Amino acid sequence: MTATVDARPRTPSSPPTRGRSKAGRIEGRWGVMMALPAIIGFVAFTLAPMIASLFISLTDWTIGAAPQFVGVENYVRMFSADSSFFSSLWATVYYTLGAVPLSIIVAFVVALLLNANVRGQSVFRVIYYIPAIVPIVANSMLWIWLFNPDFGLLNSALARVGLPGSDWIFAEETAVPSLILMATWGFGNIAVIFLAGLQGVPRHLYEAISVDGGGAWSKFRHITLPMMTPVIFYSVVTGVIGALQVFVQAAVMTEGGPNDATLFFVYYLYRTAFTNNEMGYASALAWILFLIIMAITVLLFRNSNKWVYYEAGTGR
């Protein structure tokens, strides 16, 4: 009995491979097409203006006249002959150091309370979130009335409990602290993020520490706080970036006063560009602010592995 051997060459599985490759190429083209609007938008409205502003920062340019190339003269002037540069930088740093930590602490405490299975949790969540969605200009007009030393609500409340009033944003010493207090009022946005993070903490961790005899403080110290560090880190980064670009409060409420106490950096940049018509110098200021924000952000990320805990083990 002779065995029959099929000598015909076996058909390789190349057709399916070619099919997958073709599908992959089509998918890649669609991916590029879908991303193209965002890429074009970034190049046209972000990258190109940044490159243009870098060139303008090396010129002495007023609108209506041809720019005159001056090299790094604007940067030298900034650090050697412009006292407003340092005062605006200090006012911005002062505001950032106060507004960011205070907003995060208040938001975290409120999120902890909301996470305690209180009745009407969704109602409280909406109430706390409303200030975050009110336009900042409307917020500013409201707070101008609240801060009014003569008929404002805050001084009226202080008078009712026998405490002296304050000049709030109308005095040099209290202007920035008043704006920090105003910034804290918008904690609802951060609180909602914290609340979502708290509800994602695994319940079995709390059950384990209860079995070991741990109390409420131990649960907070050893479970809640470490598990929330990625959310805290996110809030710190976005909060610092936003606070360093504070503008509307100075433009609408104080116009940089009194005595330049609230001359925040972006408002000083705006005034340099559109009041003094010094586009070259304003562009140099913008680049310094960009470098400061980038340096602080990089520093925060480089140090995050020392205190941010990731459950998946990619971090600390």
mmCIF file of all heavy atoms in Angstrom, residues 217-248:
data_model
loop_
_atom_site.group_PDB
_atom_site.id
_atom_site.type_symbol
_atom_site.label_atom_id
_atom_site.label_comp_id
_atom_site.label_asym_id
_atom_site.label_seq_id
_atom_site.Cartn_x
_atom_site.Cartn_y
_atom_site.Cartn_z
ATOM 1 N N TRP A 217 -8.341 58.087 61.662
ATOM 2 C CA TRP A 217 -7.105 58.774 61.297
ATOM 3 C C TRP A 217 -6.161 57.851 60.533
ATOM 4 O O TRP A 217 -5.522 58.265 59.559
ATOM 5 C CB TRP A 217 -6.423 59.331 62.543
ATOM 6 C CG TRP A 217 -5.050 59.872 62.251
ATOM 7 C CD1 TRP A 217 -3.859 59.361 62.655
ATOM 8 C CD2 TRP A 217 -4.736 61.034 61.449
ATOM 9 N NE1 TRP A 217 -2.822 60.100 62.173
ATOM 10 C CE2 TRP A 217 -3.333 61.143 61.431
ATOM 11 C CE3 TRP A 217 -5.507 61.966 60.758
ATOM 12 C CZ2 TRP A 217 -2.675 62.164 60.750
ATOM 13 C CZ3 TRP A 217 -4.850 62.983 60.071
ATOM 14 C CH2 TRP A 217 -3.458 63.077 60.076
ATOM 15 N N SER A 218 -6.069 56.601 60.972
ATOM 16 C CA SER A 218 -5.200 55.640 60.286
ATOM 17 C C SER A 218 -5.669 55.398 58.858
ATOM 18 O O SER A 218 -4.864 55.278 57.932
ATOM 19 C CB SER A 218 -5.158 54.318 61.050
ATOM 20 O OG SER A 218 -4.572 54.495 62.317
ATOM 21 N N LYS A 219 -7.006 55.322 58.682
ATOM 22 C CA LYS A 219 -7.533 55.154 57.320
ATOM 23 C C LYS A 219 -7.180 56.337 56.440
ATOM 24 O O LYS A 219 -6.798 56.175 55.272
ATOM 25 C CB LYS A 219 -9.050 54.973 57.373
ATOM 26 C CG LYS A 219 -9.501 53.682 58.016
ATOM 27 C CD LYS A 219 -11.017 53.598 58.075
ATOM 28 C CE LYS A 219 -11.463 52.314 58.749
ATOM 29 N NZ LYS A 219 -12.933 52.239 58.892
ATOM 30 N N PHE A 220 -7.290 57.550 57.004
ATOM 31 C CA PHE A 220 -6.968 58.735 56.217
ATOM 32 C C PHE A 220 -5.473 58.809 55.933
ATOM 33 O O PHE A 220 -5.051 59.079 54.808
ATOM 34 C CB PHE A 220 -7.422 59.990 56.969
ATOM 35 C CG PHE A 220 -7.032 61.268 56.284
ATOM 36 C CD1 PHE A 220 -7.747 61.731 55.191
ATOM 37 C CD2 PHE A 220 -5.929 62.001 56.718
ATOM 38 C CE1 PHE A 220 -7.376 62.908 54.548
ATOM 39 C CE2 PHE A 220 -5.554 63.174 56.078
ATOM 40 C CZ PHE A 220 -6.287 63.624 54.997
ATOM 41 N N ARG A 221 -4.677 58.551 56.974
ATOM 42 C CA ARG A 221 -3.217 58.720 56.843
ATOM 43 C C ARG A 221 -2.589 57.671 55.940
ATOM 44 O O ARG A 221 -1.680 57.988 55.140
ATOM 45 C CB ARG A 221 -2.589 58.647 58.248
ATOM 46 C CG ARG A 221 -1.065 58.594 58.280
ATOM 47 C CD ARG A 221 -0.457 59.902 57.827
ATOM 48 N NE ARG A 221 0.988 59.832 57.852
ATOM 49 C CZ ARG A 221 1.746 59.301 56.896
ATOM 50 N NH1 ARG A 221 1.140 58.770 55.832
ATOM 51 N NH2 ARG A 221 3.064 59.298 56.982
ATOM 52 N N HIS A 222 -3.051 56.425 56.036
ATOM 53 C CA HIS A 222 -2.367 55.333 55.342
ATOM 54 C C HIS A 222 -3.083 54.843 54.084
ATOM 55 O O HIS A 222 -2.497 54.064 53.331
ATOM 56 C CB HIS A 222 -2.163 54.155 56.304
ATOM 57 C CG HIS A 222 -1.311 54.497 57.496
ATOM 58 N ND1 HIS A 222 0.037 54.769 57.407
ATOM 59 C CD2 HIS A 222 -1.643 54.646 58.814
ATOM 60 C CE1 HIS A 222 0.528 55.052 58.612
ATOM 61 N NE2 HIS A 222 -0.478 54.997 59.486
ATOM 62 N N ILE A 223 -4.323 55.270 53.875
ATOM 63 C CA ILE A 223 -5.045 54.818 52.675
ATOM 64 C C ILE A 223 -5.534 55.999 51.835
ATOM 65 O O ILE A 223 -5.156 56.147 50.669
ATOM 66 C CB ILE A 223 -6.239 53.921 53.067
ATOM 67 C CG1 ILE A 223 -5.731 52.657 53.757
ATOM 68 C CG2 ILE A 223 -7.043 53.550 51.832
ATOM 69 C CD1 ILE A 223 -6.824 51.748 54.239
ATOM 70 N N THR A 224 -6.386 56.836 52.453
ATOM 71 C CA THR A 224 -6.998 57.911 51.668
ATOM 72 C C THR A 224 -5.950 58.845 51.077
ATOM 73 O O THR A 224 -5.949 59.118 49.866
ATOM 74 C CB THR A 224 -7.983 58.708 52.538
ATOM 75 O OG1 THR A 224 -8.950 57.819 53.088
ATOM 76 C CG2 THR A 224 -8.677 59.771 51.723
ATOM 77 N N LEU A 225 -5.074 59.354 51.937
ATOM 78 C CA LEU A 225 -4.093 60.339 51.462
ATOM 79 C C LEU A 225 -3.148 59.770 50.405
ATOM 80 O O LEU A 225 -2.964 60.395 49.349
ATOM 81 C CB LEU A 225 -3.312 60.900 52.657
ATOM 82 C CG LEU A 225 -2.558 62.207 52.428
ATOM 83 C CD1 LEU A 225 -3.501 63.289 51.910
ATOM 84 C CD2 LEU A 225 -1.878 62.673 53.712
ATOM 85 N N PRO A 226 -2.537 58.596 50.625
ATOM 86 C CA PRO A 226 -1.672 58.054 49.551
ATOM 87 C C PRO A 226 -2.422 57.781 48.255
ATOM 88 O O PRO A 226 -1.891 58.046 47.170
ATOM 89 C CB PRO A 226 -1.146 56.745 50.166
ATOM 90 C CG PRO A 226 -1.267 56.917 51.622
ATOM 91 C CD PRO A 226 -2.480 57.756 51.835
ATOM 92 N N MET A 227 -3.645 57.255 48.352
ATOM 93 C CA MET A 227 -4.389 56.945 47.131
ATOM 94 C C MET A 227 -4.836 58.203 46.386
ATOM 95 O O MET A 227 -5.116 58.150 45.186
ATOM 96 C CB MET A 227 -5.612 56.094 47.471
ATOM 97 C CG MET A 227 -5.287 54.720 48.042
ATOM 98 S SD MET A 227 -4.381 53.681 46.867
ATOM 99 C CE MET A 227 -5.652 53.338 45.671
ATOM 100 N N MET A 228 -4.896 59.314 47.097
ATOM 101 C CA MET A 228 -5.339 60.556 46.454
ATOM 102 C C MET A 228 -4.183 61.398 45.942
ATOM 103 O O MET A 228 -4.398 62.460 45.358
ATOM 104 C CB MET A 228 -6.161 61.380 47.461
ATOM 105 C CG MET A 228 -7.521 60.776 47.777
ATOM 106 S SD MET A 228 -8.587 60.690 46.320
ATOM 107 C CE MET A 228 -8.825 62.423 45.987
ATOM 108 N N THR A 229 -2.950 60.978 46.172
ATOM 109 C CA THR A 229 -1.818 61.802 45.741
ATOM 110 C C THR A 229 -1.772 62.058 44.226
ATOM 111 O O THR A 229 -1.366 63.152 43.823
ATOM 112 C CB THR A 229 -0.487 61.186 46.212
ATOM 113 O OG1 THR A 229 -0.463 59.796 45.852
ATOM 114 C CG2 THR A 229 -0.307 61.344 47.702
ATOM 115 N N PRO A 230 -2.182 61.111 43.354
ATOM 116 C CA PRO A 230 -2.210 61.480 41.919
ATOM 117 C C PRO A 230 -3.185 62.609 41.623
ATOM 118 O O PRO A 230 -2.891 63.481 40.803
ATOM 119 C CB PRO A 230 -2.643 60.171 41.233
ATOM 120 C CG PRO A 230 -2.260 59.091 42.172
ATOM 121 C CD PRO A 230 -2.460 59.672 43.536
ATOM 122 N N VAL A 231 -4.334 62.616 42.309
ATOM 123 C CA VAL A 231 -5.310 63.688 42.103
ATOM 124 C C VAL A 231 -4.778 65.005 42.667
ATOM 125 O O VAL A 231 -4.940 66.077 42.061
ATOM 126 C CB VAL A 231 -6.655 63.326 42.750
ATOM 127 C CG1 VAL A 231 -7.698 64.395 42.455
ATOM 128 C CG2 VAL A 231 -7.146 61.977 42.255
ATOM 129 N N ILE A 232 -4.134 64.925 43.828
ATOM 130 C CA ILE A 232 -3.546 66.135 44.418
ATOM 131 C C ILE A 232 -2.471 66.689 43.486
ATOM 132 O O ILE A 232 -2.378 67.902 43.259
ATOM 133 C CB ILE A 232 -2.966 65.824 45.812
ATOM 134 C CG1 ILE A 232 -4.088 65.411 46.775
ATOM 135 C CG2 ILE A 232 -2.211 67.022 46.359
ATOM 136 C CD1 ILE A 232 -3.585 64.915 48.131
ATOM 137 N N PHE A 233 -1.655 65.800 42.938
ATOM 138 C CA PHE A 233 -0.588 66.227 42.030
ATOM 139 C C PHE A 233 -1.174 66.922 40.795
ATOM 140 O O PHE A 233 -0.698 67.980 40.371
ATOM 141 C CB PHE A 233 0.243 65.019 41.613
ATOM 142 C CG PHE A 233 1.276 65.320 40.567
ATOM 143 C CD1 PHE A 233 2.330 66.187 40.845
ATOM 144 C CD2 PHE A 233 1.210 64.746 39.313
ATOM 145 C CE1 PHE A 233 3.282 66.471 39.885
ATOM 146 C CE2 PHE A 233 2.154 65.026 38.343
ATOM 147 C CZ PHE A 233 3.199 65.889 38.628
ATOM 148 N N TYR A 234 -2.223 66.333 40.225
ATOM 149 C CA TYR A 234 -2.884 66.948 39.067
ATOM 150 C C TYR A 234 -3.416 68.335 39.431
ATOM 151 O O TYR A 234 -3.259 69.293 38.659
ATOM 152 C CB TYR A 234 -4.021 66.035 38.598
ATOM 153 C CG TYR A 234 -4.969 66.696 37.635
ATOM 154 C CD1 TYR A 234 -4.647 66.810 36.288
ATOM 155 C CD2 TYR A 234 -6.189 67.213 38.086
ATOM 156 C CE1 TYR A 234 -5.523 67.435 35.409
ATOM 157 C CE2 TYR A 234 -7.063 67.829 37.211
ATOM 158 C CZ TYR A 234 -6.729 67.932 35.875
ATOM 159 O OH TYR A 234 -7.586 68.558 35.011
ATOM 160 N N SER A 235 -4.024 68.445 40.609
ATOM 161 C CA SER A 235 -4.585 69.731 41.023
ATOM 162 C C SER A 235 -3.495 70.771 41.239
ATOM 163 O O SER A 235 -3.682 71.952 40.924
ATOM 164 C CB SER A 235 -5.402 69.549 42.312
ATOM 165 O OG SER A 235 -6.445 68.617 42.115
ATOM 166 N N VAL A 236 -2.364 70.341 41.789
ATOM 167 C CA VAL A 236 -1.257 71.278 42.010
ATOM 168 C C VAL A 236 -0.716 71.791 40.669
ATOM 169 O O VAL A 236 -0.517 73.001 40.488
ATOM 170 C CB VAL A 236 -0.135 70.599 42.820
ATOM 171 C CG1 VAL A 236 1.126 71.473 42.836
ATOM 172 C CG2 VAL A 236 -0.597 70.341 44.250
ATOM 173 N N VAL A 237 -0.489 70.882 39.723
ATOM 174 C CA VAL A 237 0.086 71.291 38.430
ATOM 175 C C VAL A 237 -0.850 72.250 37.693
ATOM 176 O O VAL A 237 -0.441 73.340 37.266
ATOM 177 C CB VAL A 237 0.383 70.049 37.558
ATOM 178 C CG1 VAL A 237 0.787 70.476 36.148
ATOM 179 C CG2 VAL A 237 1.493 69.218 38.175
ATOM 180 N N THR A 238 -2.119 71.860 37.549
ATOM 181 C CA THR A 238 -3.056 72.720 36.828
ATOM 182 C C THR A 238 -3.335 74.020 37.595
ATOM 183 O O THR A 238 -3.504 75.077 36.988
ATOM 184 C CB THR A 238 -4.375 71.983 36.570
ATOM 185 O OG1 THR A 238 -4.908 71.515 37.821
ATOM 186 C CG2 THR A 238 -4.169 70.795 35.646
ATOM 187 N N GLY A 239 -3.357 73.916 38.929
ATOM 188 C CA GLY A 239 -3.595 75.113 39.734
ATOM 189 C C GLY A 239 -2.462 76.117 39.614
ATOM 190 O O GLY A 239 -2.695 77.324 39.476
ATOM 191 N N VAL A 240 -1.216 75.639 39.661
ATOM 192 C CA VAL A 240 -0.061 76.537 39.544
ATOM 193 C C VAL A 240 -0.034 77.194 38.166
ATOM 194 O O VAL A 240 0.188 78.411 38.043
ATOM 195 C CB VAL A 240 1.238 75.758 39.810
ATOM 196 C CG1 VAL A 240 2.464 76.583 39.402
ATOM 197 C CG2 VAL A 240 1.341 75.401 41.286
ATOM 198 N N ILE A 241 -0.274 76.403 37.128
ATOM 199 C CA ILE A 241 -0.261 76.966 35.765
ATOM 200 C C ILE A 241 -1.346 78.027 35.618
ATOM 201 O O ILE A 241 -1.114 79.098 35.044
ATOM 202 C CB ILE A 241 -0.452 75.838 34.729
ATOM 203 C CG1 ILE A 241 0.772 74.927 34.719
ATOM 204 C CG2 ILE A 241 -0.683 76.416 33.337
ATOM 205 C CD1 ILE A 241 0.611 73.701 33.838
ATOM 206 N N GLY A 242 -2.532 77.751 36.152
ATOM 207 C CA GLY A 242 -3.616 78.724 36.051
ATOM 208 C C GLY A 242 -3.361 79.966 36.888
ATOM 209 O O GLY A 242 -3.623 81.092 36.434
ATOM 210 N N ALA A 243 -2.845 79.784 38.117
ATOM 211 C CA ALA A 243 -2.629 80.933 39.007
ATOM 212 C C ALA A 243 -1.532 81.857 38.474
ATOM 213 O O ALA A 243 -1.618 83.076 38.633
ATOM 214 C CB ALA A 243 -2.266 80.431 40.408
ATOM 215 N N LEU A 244 -0.519 81.299 37.854
ATOM 216 C CA LEU A 244 0.550 82.147 37.304
ATOM 217 C C LEU A 244 0.061 82.977 36.123
ATOM 218 O O LEU A 244 0.742 83.915 35.711
ATOM 219 C CB LEU A 244 1.734 81.275 36.872
ATOM 220 C CG LEU A 244 2.564 80.658 38.010
ATOM 221 C CD1 LEU A 244 3.603 79.700 37.461
ATOM 222 C CD2 LEU A 244 3.237 81.750 38.844
ATOM 223 N N GLN A 245 -1.101 82.629 35.579
ATOM 224 C CA GLN A 245 -1.652 83.394 34.459
ATOM 225 C C GLN A 245 -2.882 84.196 34.880
ATOM 226 O O GLN A 245 -3.699 84.562 34.030
ATOM 227 C CB GLN A 245 -2.021 82.448 33.314
ATOM 228 C CG GLN A 245 -0.832 81.665 32.776
ATOM 229 C CD GLN A 245 -1.227 80.706 31.672
ATOM 230 O OE1 GLN A 245 -1.466 81.106 30.537
ATOM 231 N NE2 GLN A 245 -1.321 79.429 32.009
ATOM 232 N N VAL A 246 -3.020 84.466 36.178
ATOM 233 C CA VAL A 246 -4.191 85.224 36.648
ATOM 234 C C VAL A 246 -4.206 86.596 35.981
ATOM 235 O O VAL A 246 -3.185 87.275 35.871
ATOM 236 C CB VAL A 246 -4.141 85.346 38.187
ATOM 237 C CG1 VAL A 246 -2.881 86.049 38.660
ATOM 238 C CG2 VAL A 246 -5.373 86.076 38.695
ATOM 239 N N PHE A 247 -5.399 86.985 35.520
ATOM 240 C CA PHE A 247 -5.489 88.239 34.749
ATOM 241 C C PHE A 247 -6.776 89.017 35.034
ATOM 242 O O PHE A 247 -6.741 90.212 35.318
ATOM 243 C CB PHE A 247 -5.402 87.920 33.252
ATOM 244 C CG PHE A 247 -5.732 89.086 32.369
ATOM 245 C CD1 PHE A 247 -4.822 90.128 32.212
ATOM 246 C CD2 PHE A 247 -6.950 89.163 31.702
ATOM 247 C CE1 PHE A 247 -5.123 91.217 31.402
ATOM 248 C CE2 PHE A 247 -7.258 90.250 30.895
ATOM 249 C CZ PHE A 247 -6.333 91.269 30.743
ATOM 250 N N VAL A 248 -7.913 88.328 34.959
ATOM 251 C CA VAL A 248 -9.198 89.029 34.958
ATOM 252 C C VAL A 248 -9.407 89.824 36.238
ATOM 253 O O VAL A 248 -9.899 90.965 36.201
ATOM 254 C CB VAL A 248 -10.345 88.014 34.753
ATOM 255 C CG1 VAL A 248 -11.693 88.709 34.865
ATOM 256 C CG2 VAL A 248 -10.221 87.346 33.400
#
